Every structure is written in C-alpha cells, then in structure tokens.
Amino acid sequence: MDISEVRIRPVKGAGRMRAFASVVFGGQFVVHELKVVEGTEGRMFVAFPSKRAASGEYFDIAHPITADARDRIQQAVLAAYRQQVGGMAAEQAG
C-alpha cells in the first residue's frame, strides 16, 4: 500500500477536531474526510470516515483492515498535519 499524497484542511472552533485529511493511495484511489482529532492528554489520532444511520448509530464507510495499515495511514496523516500546522505557526510568528 503506497500512500502517494496526504492533503490537510485545518479547522478552527470544532471542539477536539483539528483538521480533515484526504489520503491518496498509489496515485489511483483517494479517501476523503479522515479527521485529525486531539484526544485525552493531547494525544492526536486519526478517525476514519463514518456515517450516521437513521438509528443514530455510526458506522464506518472506509477503514483499514489491518493494524499495520491503520498505523501507516495514521503516521502519514499526523506527519502531514504537524508539517502544515508548524508551517502555519511559523508564518504567523514571522
């Protein structure tokens, strides 16, 4: 599984959610609306796209099958998020 691109869209004033992400696999398949969330004690994680059913329950739309795939996607998204947010902070400070 080749992650060829990660796009980050930071959000403000959305509670613990910090950004939306899109991940492109092998330059041929994209998954939109992954969420970068700040969890307890400031730990960041990636939530995969889900949809709310009529019953009020949420179910996954797209998600990795293996723990290794989840880790690789999460690492790529969080690295892109930190790079973009760090760059934005440097621009605001300068």
Side-chain angles (χ1 to χ4, degrees), residues 21-90:
S22 296
V23 178
V24 179
F25 297 93
Q28 299 178 10
F29 186 80
V30 65
V31 177
H32 297 288
E33 301 302 312
L34 286 84
K35 298 176 187 91
V36 177
V37 180
E38 185 174 348
T40 59
E41 300 176 14
R43 183 183 153 271
M44 305 294 279
F45 66 93
V46 174
F48 290 85
S50 61
K51 186 174 182 177
R52 188 173 186 181
S55 65
E57 294 180 79
Y58 286 88
F59 61 94
D60 291 337
I61 294 172
H63 60 90
I65 300 293
T66 66
D68 179 57
R70 178 178 296 274
D71 289 343
R72 290 178 64 197
I73 294 166
Q74 182 160 284
Q75 288 174 11
V77 169
L78 293 179
Y81 171 76
R82 289 181 182 115
Q83 180 179 8
Q84 183 165 338
V85 170
M88 290 170 56

Side-chain angles (χ1 to χ4, degrees), residues 8-20 36 81:
I8 302 292
R9 293 186 336 256
V11 296
K12 294 181 182 180
R16 297 183 317 154
M17 189 169 47
R18 300 295 176 243
F20 285 103
V36 177
Y81 171 76

